[in-house]
Amino acid sequence: RVSPALTLGRDATMSDVNDTVKQFVRYFYRHIKAKNVYETLTMYERSFAAISERFFKREAWPAPRAISSLADDDKVFVLLYAELYYRHLYMTTTPSVDERKASWENYCALFGVALHGDVNMQLPNLWLYEMVDEFVYQFQSFHQYKVSPKRTAEEKSALDALDKQVWDQTSVVNFLQALVDKSDVKRVLERERAGEISFAKDEGYSIESSNVLRTLGYFALIGISRVHVLVGNYEGALTSLDAIDLDKEGMFTKVSGAFVATSYHVGFAYLMCSRYTDAIRHFNESLQYIDRVKNGSTRPHALPLLMKKQEQMYALLAIISALVPGQQHLLDDGVALSLHQKYSDKISRMMNGEVSIYDELFSYACPKFVGSQEAYKTQLKAFLEIVAAHAVIPKLRSHLKMYATVKVAKLAAVMDVSESDLRASLTAFDKANTVKQWNGGASALDGDDVYCGDIRVTMEGDVIKVEEMKNRKSAKTFFEQTNKKLSMQLEELMAAKPLVVKPSAIVS
């Protein structure tokens, strides 16, 4: 059967391929075939971007069929090249319906090789993560394109003619789940937790076998979680990652895009589950990480996406700060300062009841949901219900902070409400400030109820007792965070270790 990649792509022949591209393809093919992971990574990470910037800023690379002969008509290499070809096409143009279908078919063929073929390649983890990431992105892009009111009658007709499996949610998740299952990555991660193997330390590489299926399976777990977030299944998004220990260093922390995207989507899922302290924990870690890597990044073309995610996470932290005030002790000092500089005014306005600011920040910081044209409105409605449940906090908190003890009748008169309404508000106040928090456990959904407000109210008959909570970092937490930060900085300064230790390099 002819490889789909050979029959797809914009019209091009060998005469259209310039010498720079010819040289790139030849060397890229040789390094992949020779399992030269470092050289492959350099060409993937730097050369492809540099050539794209120089020759293909606003147009597509040569079609896969045009470069096939430069790589001995190797079908697997052509599929890999086509993956880059379509990814670049999405970045620089608006793909047609046929091109979206063609990219889908290329991923089906490429993942089919990993699932059913005898793969003996060693590919960079960065590429394997971004392969899964792009697969989910194109699924997301297809559904936004599908429901866009700007589609022409011709485009709508072409979409209607597509096979229903093309970029279908079930098909996408099934492919990702197949990679998880076939790679047996969950058992690998169980063995790592038991101390039997060092999967993360070795970065998934092995001299005995290819890293491709195993690493694709690992990142497919993250891809499945992201799909769940995009369709509003937040608990499903969190449980999808149960096999990965999110609070320890792992494979996902070694790829910048994977760490930031995982932290963003996990934090957002926690926010929508009203688990604010867990959301803060993940946003805080990621924001510190971005601050460390952004100045020394080897991929300046990838920085805009990291910076966009950084700004979105600050906006989500601003929302949480308004919903449950007094959480600064959970933030790194640098993150807390940046949050104050960026959003102190809007936090104050949200706390004063300006729902439009919540709406504005949510619209900016939320993922681009998929589904019907109502997908965003459905998620916004769910979010605003959370906001409404916390509406009692700002006004009541501002009055309670003036007292150590106060009678119900007196406070009700000051607030101009009935005593029964005040009692109901006090109950709602306590409930809104009580959240479930992960304190260790096998699942991201595990946790215990904790009180996260900065003041606590107890009732003794008709008297309200107000206690100010001293939410400060403990010495233990301070030293743990400092040591972790120093360890990560030292690791980044260490010389890079070999990605794969070849038998020929081992001296007996």
Side-chain angles (χ1 to χ4, degrees):
R1 184 172 177 265
V2 178
S3 168
L6 290 175
T7 63
L8 305 172
R10 300 188 174 188
D11 293 338
T13 62
M14 181 61 75
S15 61
D16 298 317
V17 182
N18 68 43
D19 290 340
T20 302
V21 173
K22 288 178 182 177
Q23 185 180 44
F24 169 82
V25 171
R26 290 191 183 104
Y27 278 105
F28 201 34
Y29 172 59
R30 288 177 196 171
H31 287 313
I32 289 175
K33 195 169 183 181
K35 303 179 186 177
N36 297 330
V37 183
Y38 270 123
E39 291 82 356
T40 302
L41 175 62
T42 299
M43 296 197 73
Y44 170 80
E45 187 177 30
R46 300 184 183 180
S47 302
F48 186 80
I51 294 171
S52 297
E53 178 68 19
R54 182 177 176 187
F55 297 106
F56 306 109
K57 256 187 172 180
R58 294 178 180 83
E59 60 184 274
W61 272 64
R65 63 176 174 273
I67 58 86
S68 179
S69 62
L70 298 172
D72 300 331
D73 293 321
D74 185 298
K75 292 179 181 178
V76 176
F77 175 80
V78 173
L79 291 172
L80 289 169
Y81 173 87
E83 197 272 330
L84 295 180
Y85 168 85
Y86 286 111
R87 192 192 309 180
H88 175 263
L89 195 68
Y90 270 77
M91 289 174 60
T92 55
T93 67
T94 300
S96 67
V97 174
D98 285 343
E99 286 164 341
R100 292 171 190 273
K101 177 188 174 186
S103 185
W104 163 257
E105 291 176 342
N106 190 71
Y107 275 117
C108 291
L110 188 55
F111 291 156
V113 170
L115 290 167
H116 308 297
D118 183 19
V119 180
N120 61 4
M121 295 180 292
Q122 299 281 357
L123 292 180
N125 289 338
L126 175 66
W127 190 358
L128 294 171
Y129 164 71
E130 291 185 344
M131 201 179 287
V132 172
D133 182 67
E134 182 70 15
F135 181 61
V136 176
Y137 165 73
Q138 290 188 21
F139 155 73
Q140 181 183 27
S141 174
F142 177 83
H143 285 273
Q144 290 168 342
Y145 177 83
K146 191 174 180 180
V147 301
S148 172
K150 297 179 181 179
R151 299 284 64 80
T152 64
E154 184 180 353
E155 288 170 330
K156 289 177 182 177
S157 177
L159 285 167
D160 291 340
L162 285 179
D163 186 305
K164 299 303 179 186
Q165 290 189 343
V166 174
W167 294 120
D168 172 66
Q169 178 188 336
T170 302
S171 300
V172 167
V173 173
N174 283 347
F175 256 117
L176 295 173
Q177 190 61 53
L179 291 170
V180 171
D181 294 341
K182 185 67 182 287
S183 67
D184 202 19
V185 71
K186 288 186 177 180
R187 189 177 70 85
V188 170
L189 293 172
E190 284 176 7
R191 293 183 62 199
E192 182 181 44
R193 282 184 174 179
E196 298 175 15
I197 58 173
S198 54
F199 179 65
K201 185 178 179 182
D202 296 334
E203 299 188 19
Y205 294 100
S206 168
I207 60 173
E208 284 116 18
S209 61
S210 166
N211 73 316
V212 173
L213 179 59
R214 189 166 50 245
T215 306
L216 278 176
Y218 178 90
F219 288 128
L221 289 168
I222 293 173
I224 292 170
S225 176
R226 181 177 163 191
V227 172
H228 283 308
V229 169
L230 295 178
V231 299
N233 179 13
Y234 303 113
E235 291 193 357
L238 295 170
T239 55
S240 297
L241 294 171
D242 282 349
I244 300 175
D245 194 335
L246 297 173
D247 287 82
K248 289 186 179 177
E249 186 178 278
M251 282 269 285
F252 77 102
T253 65
K254 298 176 182 292
V255 178
S256 297
F259 183 49
V260 173
T262 302
S263 299
Y264 167 77
H265 287 99
V266 168
F268 186 82
Y270 271 133
L271 168 59
M272 295 300 284
C273 291
S274 299
R275 296 183 58 160
Y276 308 115
T277 56
D278 289 326
I280 289 171
R281 188 175 78 254
H282 286 280
F283 292 148
N284 183 59
E285 288 283 336
S286 185
L287 290 168
Q288 290 181 78
Y289 178 83
I290 294 171
D291 277 338
R292 285 199 308 274
V293 303
K294 65 185 179 184
N295 293 324
S297 174
T298 59
R299 308 179 73 211
H301 59 282
L303 269 180
L305 182 59
L306 289 186
M307 302 308 293
K308 171 86 180 289
K309 283 286 170 274
Q310 182 184 52
E311 292 306 313
Q312 287 178 310
M313 285 188 280
Y314 271 118
L316 293 171
L317 277 180
I319 287 172
I320 296 172
S321 298
L323 289 174
V324 280
Q327 307 307 309
Q328 286 79 4
H329 65 289
L330 298 176
L331 297 173
D332 172 77
D333 292 342
V335 172
L337 178 60
S338 293
L339 178 63
H340 176 76
Q341 291 172 337
K342 292 172 183 288
Y343 285 108
S344 59
D345 177 61
K346 288 188 176 180
I347 291 172
S348 177
R349 290 167 64 187
M350 285 187 286
M351 290 177 67
N352 287 330
E354 288 193 42
V355 177
S356 61
I357 305 298
Y358 282 110
D359 192 333
E360 173 194 327
L361 294 186
F362 181 83
S363 175
Y364 169 72
C366 72
K368 293 182 179 178
F369 301 105
V370 303
S372 68
Q373 290 179 328
E374 300 299 310
Y376 168 74
K377 292 180 181 178
T378 300
Q379 299 308 315
L380 176 63
K381 180 183 176 184
F383 169 69
L384 292 179
E385 287 173 358
I386 294 173
V387 173
H390 288 73
V392 67
I393 291 181
K395 184 178 178 182
L396 188 53
R397 175 176 172 269
S398 65
H399 283 87
L400 290 171
K401 286 178 78 74
M402 296 188 293
Y403 302 97
T405 61
V406 61
K407 287 190 175 183
V408 173
K410 180 178 178 181
L411 185 57
V414 170
M415 295 182 65
D416 194 23
V417 296
S418 68
E419 292 186 27
S420 60
D421 284 348
L422 177 58
R423 289 180 185 274
S425 293
L426 290 169
T427 301
F429 182 88
D430 185 76
K431 183 178 179 181
N433 277 305
T434 302
V435 301
K436 196 173 185 180
Q437 178 176 288
W438 189 84
N439 292 312
S443 174
L445 287 179
D446 289 344
D448 305 304
D449 286 342
V450 298
Y451 189 83
C452 65
D454 58 349
I455 59 173
R456 188 157 202 170
V457 176
T458 55
M459 295 290 296
E460 291 186 2
D462 289 334
V463 176
I464 303 168
K465 297 189 70 173
V466 182
E467 177 187 4
E468 186 175 353
M469 307 297 288
K470 303 295 184 183
N471 291 331
R472 298 192 182 96
K473 290 180 186 175
S474 66
K476 179 183 177 184
T477 301
F478 172 79
F479 284 116
E480 283 178 348
Q481 291 179 348
T482 302
N483 286 336
K484 185 175 182 180
K485 189 184 296 186
L486 288 172
S487 296
M488 294 181 78
Q489 289 173 338
L490 286 171
E491 184 176 337
E492 288 162 9
L493 290 171
M494 290 171 63
K497 58 181 179 291
L499 294 174
V500 180
V501 179
K502 297 182 180 179
S504 60
I506 300 175
V507 181
S508 57

